[in-house]
Amino acid sequence: MQRIEEKLKILADAAKYDVSCSSSGSTRKNNGGIGDASTSGICHTYTEDGRCVSLLKILLTNHCIYDCAFCVSRKSNDVKRAAFTVEEVVDLTMNFYRRNYIEGLFLSSGIFKDADFTMERMLRIVKKLRQEERYNGYIHLKTIPGASEELIKDAGLYVDRMSINLELPTEAGLKLVAPEKDHESVKKPLAFVNEQMESFKEEKKLIKHTPVFVPAGQSTQMVIGATPENDFEIMQVADDFYKNYKLKRVYYSGYIPINNENSLLPQIGSAPPLVRENRLYQTDWLLRFYGFRLDEILNPQHMHLDLDIDPKLSWALRNPHFFPVDVNTADFNAIIRIPGIGRQSALKIVHARKFGGLYTYQLQKMGIAYNRAKYFLQCVDTPFRLGNPSMEHVRSAILSESNSGNRRQAVTGQLTLF
Amino acid sequence: MYYLFDGTYLGFLSCVFESFERKESNIIPLMQEDYQIALFSETRTIVTDNRKALRVQKGLQARVGKVEAMDFYRAFLSEDRKAWLASFFIVCQIFSGRADIRQDYGDEHVLYFSQILKKVSRERHRMKAFIRFSKSSDGLFFALVEPDFNVLPLISDFFRKRYADMPWLIYDMKRKYGLLFDTRQVGEVQLSPEEVQDATMPSIAIEMDERDELFQRLWKQYYTSTNIEARKNMKLHLQHVPRRYWKYLVEKK
Ligand code: SF4
């Protein structure tokens, strides 16, 4: 018998490559037991790599019958194996939750015996939490590819979020490193759960007491930099999945080399592509919240994101005709396209200008990155400019101005460690 | 002129009432303890009057709605004198007919007020996240905190709803009061100095639940195991978990 400490060590370590730790999107209430969901999620702490820790993220077991080359739990890998019992997972979850360490449980698993056998065991944990412990906190369940629709449907009644990972952005990439897997077995359950969510919602309109089904929706994850897909291909896949399966989130996880056995994968010692990962998230953000279309940022002429500057700035430099934007008259949707201005500040600007034209000194205080934005905007006291400044010049001016507040800095700052 | 009040929100609202009744403007609200700041200046001591305060509160609600009226209470809990001044200014403007002044971000007071509100709300969120309960042998879950602002009143509902089936105590060490939930309702409590002493060294003074230490250890273990060494980024880490909070975080102790 392994001690619980050792199991936790092995099974938390193996689960950490799933980057999602979100606890948002659910509105589950506490009805007579313990726990509820916080709509916008709560990060209870952060790891030293700066990632949010919201959920107890563990595998039920790291035994696996498959041999995916990018995965630490693959069959041929020489690692210590462990498996939690149903009771152990429930006990850990409840005791962490009551001490306010976590928002809930993120349960995933290697596949032992077969998909249904594994899925059935996970379902037992989820049911025990909800029914016996009267636990209403967050549960994220990672579906096992190949599990039966019945089990998936049953689980959907108890969990808040479900996910199933694409792993590699394209089918071709996946075939290279995980010949036993395909994208079809990911798409099918995603589509199935999506249909169920829709039909439960329809039913709810007619019958009030319809139970909720996966209230926080579905997500997926792609590993970046393990196989040769370019940014355009990756974001096309993400865009499709957002549209076709109404996903809540797509996660991009920079590949961290874990073995030297597969010569197709980056070898141990090569740094994970953190800047690129960051740029993909920024692009994702622009598509979902800033009204950008994918082809404005990435297209057959621009298949790679610029690593030196963020995608919004990069778009702005390629589209000088859009600028300068007059913040005193322009639409909200035009203002959020100005590099250095986010949605919050844009909202402030739109409100504030009703009280009179805005001046530079006022903008500077509103929390915008003025030194970057100044090339692209106009306000009451902006001096008249003859012609447009060359975008090449703007680019180098912004790059040389080491603005300590920007995110890119934090990322490069730590890359220099390697 | 300086108005000196007792430091309660009702006292603050009473100041607003008085300034209108006496037709005095350019008021700077301060607590009686801040008196040194106002030394040699014109001051007036305002006695808290619940009836007057409630009239101001009702008036505010009628003009800007219940939700926005709450913002002044939140900003007040910042204990920041500049925020009090900004609040006072804005409230007076609202009563003078400018109900939409809160959107005038070009104005210094309005902008400062919105920034303080954001800070208070961040601290409130941090307390929801960073509070760590320990379980004593009699089943009480207790936590010590030292928030930047006086945010306990703002998190009471959250903890009452979430941890509805267990008794808990959250104690603000800086402001020397706590919230105690007995599984039915939340009340304010003050601990004696000896009790506080005991609570800071629970392992010696308070008898702990026999498995409490185990779960603290497991949580530390989990925290270490879930970190990815290859991605280490201490700058980002410190931005999210500033050092001043470490003292009460099991995983950072
Ligand atoms: S099936 Fe999942 S756990 Fe098993 S090797 Fe592949 S990725 Fe890893």
Side-chain angles (χ1 to χ4, degrees):
Chain A
M1 262 297 276
Q2 270 168 319
R3 282 164 61 227
I4 183 94
E5 270 106 326
E6 196 183 358
K7 288 190 187 181
L8 182 61
K9 189 173 171 184
I10 295 169
L11 296 169
D13 187 87
K16 70 186 175 194
Y17 298 98
D18 217 307
V19 291
S20 159
C21 203
S22 162
S23 57
S24 63
S26 186
T27 52
R28 197 177 295 274
K29 298 266 176 324
N30 185 3
N31 43 25
I34 174 172
D36 54 11
S38 167
T39 323
S40 49
I42 296 176
C43 295
H44 281 269
T45 190
Y46 292 81
T47 50
E48 290 193 345
D49 56 38
R51 286 178 313 143
C52 160
V53 180
S54 185
L55 306 171
L56 168 63
K57 185 161 46 180
I58 46 174
L59 300 188
L60 175 57
T61 178
N62 64 341
H63 287 284
C64 192
I65 54 174
Y66 288 112
D67 206 29
C68 313
F70 55 85
C71 174
V72 265
S73 303
R74 70 187 182 284
K75 187 172 62 186
S76 64
N77 199 21
D78 181 23
V79 288
K80 264 199 173 166
R81 306 280 166 173
F84 279 126
T85 65
V86 171
E87 289 70 25
E88 281 168 340
V89 176
V90 170
D91 194 38
L92 267 179
T93 307
M94 290 313 296
N95 275 288
F96 280 8
Y97 194 82
R98 285 189 186 282
R99 285 167 177 75
N100 205 41
Y101 297 166
I102 54 170
E103 281 299 290
L105 173 68
F106 179 150
L107 187 62
S108 166
S109 185
I111 304 172
F112 53 106
K113 260 172 109 169
D114 60 54
D116 272 354
F117 188 86
T118 313
M119 189 71 190
E120 194 270 331
R121 184 79 49 106
M122 293 165 95
L123 184 59
R124 258 166 53 202
I125 292 174
V126 171
K127 274 192 176 171
K128 201 172 159 77
L129 281 169
R130 292 282 191 235
Q131 292 171 341
E132 287 172 34
E133 302 289 335
R134 316 215 316 160
Y135 164 83
N136 300 295
Y138 199 88
I139 300 181
H140 179 157
L141 191 70
K142 202 161 135 201
T143 329
I144 303 298
S148 76
E149 293 194 340
E150 262 155 83
L151 286 174
I152 293 178
K153 191 172 170 185
D154 204 6
L157 291 168
Y158 300 96
V159 305
D160 295 281
R161 171 163 288 180
M162 275 192 175
S163 68
I164 181 157
N165 288 350
L166 271 170
E167 311 296 7
L168 276 312
T170 58
E171 188 82 38
L174 190 63
K175 280 277 170 267
L176 281 177
V177 288
E180 299 147 318
K181 284 195 164 179
D182 57 60
H183 272 185
E184 232 10 79
S185 60
V186 174
K187 286 180 184 167
K188 232 180 85 198
L190 280 177
F192 174 72
V193 170
N194 193 36
E195 276 161 31
Q196 295 293 319
M197 282 164 59
E198 300 283 307
S199 79
F200 269 86
K201 259 183 229 149
E202 282 304 308
E203 216 178 305
K204 187 130 193 132
K205 283 184 200 151
L206 301 173
I207 309 159
K208 239 183 125 198
H209 299 293
T210 308
V212 289
F213 187 86
V214 198
Q218 302 192 87
S219 65
T220 194
Q221 168 173 301
M222 292 188 254
V223 173
I224 303 309
T227 43
E229 291 90 355
N230 63 42
D231 297 332
F232 179 47
E233 287 176 281
I234 292 168
M235 288 314 301
Q236 258 183 325
V237 173
D239 206 36
D240 278 355
F241 273 73
Y242 275 125
K243 286 190 182 124
N244 297 338
Y245 307 105
K246 304 205 176 65
L247 295 190
K248 282 285 165 358
R249 287 291 295 274
V250 172
Y251 292 92
Y252 311 89
S253 168
Y255 180 68
I256 295 158
I258 42 153
N259 74 92
N260 285 339
E261 287 150 35
N262 191 309
S263 57
L264 293 169
L265 292 170
Q267 303 296 289
I268 286 181
S270 33
L274 296 182
V275 178
R276 185 177 176 207
E277 180 190 291
N278 186 233
R279 295 283 175 251
L280 288 166
Y281 276 113
Q282 288 171 326
T283 306
D284 186 281
W285 218 250
L286 291 179
L287 298 182
R288 290 192 298 142
F289 304 115
Y290 281 78
F292 280 87
R293 291 190 324 271
L294 178 58
D295 65 9
E296 291 182 280
I297 302 169
L298 289 162
N299 53 51
Q301 277 74 52
H302 293 275
M303 300 205 287
H304 301 277
L305 294 167
D306 193 328
L307 293 183
D308 292 324
I309 55 175
D310 69 75
K312 188 157 116 182
L313 178 58
S314 168
W315 170 82
L317 295 174
R318 276 184 275 132
N319 292 275
H321 59 275
F322 191 83
F323 301 101
V325 169
D326 186 340
V327 295
N328 282 308
T329 55
D331 250 28
F332 175 77
N333 290 325
I335 297 178
I336 55 176
R337 285 186 171 230
I338 302 173
I341 298 189
R343 290 180 58 97
Q344 292 293 326
S345 331
L347 207 60
K348 277 201 179 117
I349 290 172
V350 174
H351 282 315
R353 69 188 185 188
K354 287 186 289 193
F355 299 88
L358 297 173
Y359 287 76
T360 309
Y361 78 94
Q362 291 170 309
L363 288 178
Q364 281 169 325
K365 284 189 185 164
M366 283 185 194
I368 72 174
Y370 184 75
N371 279 338
R372 161 179 303 228
K374 67 182 174 198
Y375 302 102
F376 303 97
L377 63 75
Q378 212 170 344
C379 54
V380 175
D381 57 341
T382 305
F384 179 70
R385 271 196 292 252
L386 255 188
N388 285 324
S390 117
M391 286 295 148
E392 240 339 285
H393 170 77
V394 172
R395 182 191 159 100
S396 51
I398 289 178
L399 276 177
S400 65
E401 213 169 66
S402 48
N403 187 339
S404 60
N406 81 42
R407 245 207 284 179
R408 155 92 175 131
Q409 279 253 317
V411 178
T412 40
Q414 63 114 189
L415 277 185
T416 55
L417 285 173
F418 295 91
Chain B
M1 182 198 279
Y2 289 93
Y3 273 13
L4 301 179
F5 67 107
D6 62 1
T8 65
Y9 188 54
L10 290 173
F12 178 79
L13 294 177
S14 302
C15 292
V16 175
F17 189 94
E18 294 288 337
S19 84
F20 272 89
E21 191 158 81
R22 297 169 188 275
K23 299 199 171 54
E24 289 173 339
S25 51
N26 296 324
I27 301 302
I28 301 172
L30 281 182
M31 252 169 89
Q32 265 131 13
E33 287 118 271
D34 303 331
Y35 182 71
Q36 296 95 316
I37 306 175
L39 217 61
F40 309 119
S41 323
E42 217 186 329
T43 61
R44 186 186 297 292
T45 300
I46 303 295
V47 181
T48 300
D49 181 326
N50 292 358
R51 202 177 38 83
K52 289 177 181 170
L54 281 175
R55 268 179 65 189
V56 174
Q57 175 72 359
K58 287 253 163 63
L60 260 183
Q61 289 179 345
R63 281 168 180 79
V64 297
K66 276 199 170 144
V67 179
E68 223 179 272
M70 250 305 265
D71 285 348
F72 295 97
Y73 178 54
R74 290 179 214 269
F76 180 78
L77 294 178
S78 70
E79 302 166 332
D80 176 290
R81 303 303 185 255
K82 213 175 139 198
W84 288 1
L85 178 60
S87 274
F88 201 92
F89 170 80
I90 296 169
V91 171
C92 291
Q93 291 288 309
I94 289 172
F95 280 113
S96 310
R98 290 189 64 195
D100 63 350
I101 183 172
R102 289 279 310 280
Q103 299 191 346
D104 187 1
Y105 295 104
D107 179 279
E108 224 178 300
H109 284 308
V110 174
L111 190 64
Y112 190 76
F113 184 81
S114 85
Q115 285 160 348
I116 270 288
L117 268 188
K118 214 171 164 184
K119 283 189 192 162
V120 171
S121 134
R122 191 179 57 192
E123 194 62 11
R124 167 175 176 255
H125 190 81
R126 272 189 179 140
M127 284 304 118
K128 290 186 193 173
F130 291 166
I131 276 175
R132 297 285 179 267
F133 287 118
S134 296
K135 189 182 181 187
S136 71
S137 60
D138 59 5
L140 176 73
F141 286 82
F142 67 93
L144 306 178
V145 289
E146 277 177 56
D148 287 350
F149 310 121
N150 183 19
V151 292
L152 253 48
L154 302 179
I155 58 171
S156 169
D157 260 10
F158 171 83
F159 281 94
R160 183 176 52 80
K161 286 188 186 136
R162 173 165 291 193
Y163 299 109
D165 70 347
M166 64 191 220
W168 49 258
L169 167 70
I170 298 170
Y171 201 79
D172 184 336
M173 299 288 281
K174 218 189 265 175
R175 293 165 191 85
K176 302 193 172 44
Y177 80 100
L179 301 175
L180 177 68
F181 178 68
D182 60 3
T183 70
R184 296 222 314 284
Q185 55 194 20
V186 182
E188 263 188 34
V189 290
Q190 261 148 1
L191 300 181
S192 67
E194 299 81 59
E195 286 172 314
V196 171
Q197 184 75 43
D198 287 355
T200 37
M201 279 183 288
S203 47
I204 308 165
I206 298 178
E207 203 175 326
M208 302 300 294
D209 180 86
E210 55 187 24
R211 294 208 299 163
D212 198 67
E213 199 250 314
L214 167 71
F215 288 111
Q216 294 204 19
R217 216 170 54 231
L218 288 172
W219 174 241
K220 280 188 195 165
Q221 171 70 64
Y222 174 71
Y223 181 72
T224 315
S225 301
T226 197
N227 182 44
I228 299 179
E229 199 50 45
R231 300 178 63 110
K232 191 165 174 146
N233 186 345
M234 282 309 274
K235 197 174 153 187
L236 194 59
H237 173 69
L238 286 172
Q239 209 173 303
H240 287 306
V241 196
R243 270 181 213 281
R244 64 181 180 281
Y245 297 98
W246 289 17
K247 194 158 119 195
Y248 300 114
L249 288 173
V250 175
E251 69 274 17
K252 299 299 299 179
K253 260 191 260 187

